Amino acid sequence: MKAPTTLSLGLCLLLPSLTAAAATLTQITTPFGPNPRNVSFHIYVPDTLPDNPAILVNPHWCHGTAQATFAGTQWAALAREHGFIVIYPGSPNAADQCWDVSSPETLTHDDGGGGGGGDSLGIVSMVRWTLDQYQGDKGRVFVTGVSSGGMMTQVLVGAYPDVFAAGAAFAGVPFGCFAPPAGDNGNAGQFDYWSDDCATGKVTHSAEAWGDLVRAAYPGYDGWRPKLQLFHGTVDEIVSYVNHGEAVKLWTDVSGLSETPVEVVQNTPLTGWTKSVYGPSGWLEAYSAAGVPHDIKVQENTVMAFFDLNCTSNCFSWGQGGPSSGGQPNPSSTFSTITSSVAPISTTSSSTVVVPTTTSAAACPTSTIPGAQKPWGQCGGRGYSGPTVCSVGVCTRYSDYFSQVKSSHHLLVTQGTSHVLNDTWRAVITN
């Protein structure tokens, strides 16, 4: 999609670092199921796991990668501590690594009979493969992401309500918001479409109209719907805060809830953040972060609690609680399983999550340097062997495993509804 380069601005800064662990990120290169867009499949499996482990899917942001998400977040360390598996998919869009959240294929459910496709089907195939390979708990599959990853989170819980038990979307947009408008034949069917109208808050619908988009994604489905968390900064300069309110309208309608919150809690989980709870069972939580731009800080502990990922027994799972329109069987009956020789979780296993201080190297020269790393590229980290000199800005360290080129310059100027790189950055990015 034609995303502004700033979509990834500061996103690595949002996320606490990963501590060292014996297990490593592994790419699955053998066939794992339908994957029409060739989404790459990386997975983190802790050395010890309980029987029937939960699975978390963590799609990256625009201009991100599976490796960057693994290196720059807490999820792998938390997985090691609590015994769940993390899937890190990688976008096939080479231009900007944004997710396909606009095509009819990605916005349509596919259970093997055709009709669906896009990036969402590739990711669901990863889930199905992992459930079989590691005898995972089919009722405890979750998804969370930031920015483009937050958009994909809403796509997955909307198109595949029979697969995911819950989602948590940070700085995303409502399901279907990026789809080209009716009559836009020039962009219809694109897998890399960037909707300026949606991103700038110009796409609004009634709650019912939003809900109809989700219902149309899986015709005939009248079963249980996943629960959801939404997080958005009120001064988001890339993905308008308007999308937060539109997403609340959508998901309250889909779940049959009132748009009036049953509870509003100030200053949680951070000062200036407001939590609004919808439905008597708290099925939808919407967090409004006052004064926060696009680089909203991911709240792993809040998400962990919502997903119940740190439990050891009687854990929250698909089909449990919440509003329901009835009739749909638990997804455990829809996928086959195979036996896996996964070791039970060790009672002595422990993991320490370290929240680092972010440090920056000296500023790089501001002219383009042949062979230097471009903006938002990796420029350091344990085991990294690529360029360590940045073409513009500074090489910013986020953890022992990941450093990234970051600049304080504005990356783009806005002309009407089109985003255009300024001359300095155009020279850097195209060299």
Side-chain angles (χ1 to χ4, degrees):
M1 63 179 68
K2 300 172 184 175
T5 307
T6 48
L7 190 61
S8 57
L9 182 59
L11 281 173
C12 283
L13 280 173
L14 330 167
L15 305 168
S17 73
L18 169 72
T19 55
T24 60
L25 184 69
T26 302
Q27 183 172 7
I28 304 301
T29 57
T30 55
F32 53 85
N35 185 21
R37 291 264 297 138
N38 197 30
V39 177
S40 67
F41 180 8
H42 291 76
I43 190 170
Y44 177 79
V45 181
D47 291 330
T48 55
L49 284 173
D51 294 334
N52 311 120
I55 296 170
L56 176 69
V57 178
N58 187 204
H60 57 71
W61 49 89
C62 278
H63 304 282
T65 63
Q67 294 89 338
T69 310
F70 170 78
T73 71
Q74 284 195 58
W75 292 119
L78 290 167
R80 181 174 179 236
E81 181 177 2
H82 296 287
F84 58 90
I85 296 169
V86 188
I87 293 172
Y88 298 93
S91 168
N93 287 329
D96 54 20
Q97 288 80 51
C98 294
W99 291 106
D100 166 27
V101 294
S102 61
S103 73
E105 291 86 349
T106 204
L107 297 173
T108 302
H109 182 275
D110 191 316
D111 58 4
D119 292 357
S120 65
L121 178 57
I123 294 172
V124 168
S125 292
M126 297 173 196
V127 170
R128 291 169 173 162
W129 181 92
T130 303
L131 287 169
D132 282 350
Q133 185 70 23
Y134 295 98
Q135 204 170 350
D137 188 337
K138 296 172 179 63
R140 301 187 65 224
V141 178
F142 307 97
V143 57
T144 184
V146 183
S147 192
S148 187
M151 300 178 194
M152 178 52 76
T153 294
Q154 297 197 48
V155 166
L156 289 169
V157 297
Y160 292 91
D162 55 340
V163 174
F164 294 92
F170 291 78
V173 303
F175 180 100
C177 188
F178 259 49
D184 185 358
N185 296 326
N187 289 311
Q190 286 195 23
F191 295 100
D192 58 351
Y193 177 71
W194 174 263
S195 173
D196 275 307
D197 282 349
C198 178
T200 55
K202 296 176 184 176
V203 178
T204 60
H205 298 303
S206 68
E208 183 178 5
W210 277 121
D212 285 345
L213 293 177
V214 172
R215 286 182 283 272
Y218 195 172
Y221 182 82
D222 64 350
W224 190 89
R225 292 282 178 176
K227 65 179 186 176
L228 191 67
Q229 287 180 314
L230 303 169
F231 300 80
H232 217 115
T234 62
V235 294
D236 192 319
E237 73 284 16
I238 303 301
V239 178
S240 172
Y241 179 68
V242 169
N243 286 294
H244 186 63
E246 295 301 300
V248 169
K249 288 158 61 176
L250 185 158
W251 296 111
T252 52
D253 181 80
V254 167
S255 298
L257 304 173
S258 169
E259 290 181 51
T260 302
V262 298
E263 181 183 17
V264 177
V265 184
Q266 304 290 334
N267 299 314
T268 185
L270 300 175
T271 300
W273 291 40
T274 301
K275 171 186 175 182
S276 297
V277 181
Y278 299 84
S281 57
W283 214 243
L284 174 66
E285 294 183 352
Y287 292 81
S288 177
V292 173
H294 193 60
D295 62 343
I296 187 169
K297 296 183 182 300
V298 172
Q299 303 301 309
E300 285 97 337
N301 289 337
T302 302
V303 175
M304 286 282 294
F306 189 70
F307 291 171
D308 206 14
L309 271 173
N310 52 3
C311 79
T312 56
S313 62
N314 299 318
C315 304
F316 166 74
S317 64
W318 192 100
Q320 185 181 93
S324 175
S325 51
Q328 195 70 11
N330 187 292
S332 62
S333 65
T334 64
F335 306 129
S336 61
T337 60
I338 60 174
T339 304
S340 175
S341 57
V342 180
I345 193 164
S346 168
T347 56
T348 59
S349 176
S350 63
S351 174
T352 304
V353 177
V354 178
V355 180
T357 19
T358 301
T359 58
S360 297
C364 299
T366 56
S367 60
T368 302
I369 303 171
Q373 188 57 280
K374 298 174 184 178
W376 314 118
Q378 186 173 358
C379 53
R382 187 176 299 175
Y384 174 73
S385 59
T388 56
V389 176
C390 46
S391 53
V392 166
V394 296
C395 184
T396 303
R397 177 185 177 276
Y398 303 110
S399 71
D400 290 342
Y401 298 87
F402 187 74
S403 297
Q404 185 183 45
V405 178
K406 180 179 182 294
S407 172
S408 59
H409 296 296
H410 283 297
L411 294 183
L412 60 115
V413 294
T414 301
Q415 297 179 349
T417 59
S418 299
H419 295 282
V420 183
L421 292 173
N422 65 34
D423 292 338
T424 301
W425 284 89
R426 185 183 295 107
V428 171
I429 294 170
T430 57
N431 277 278

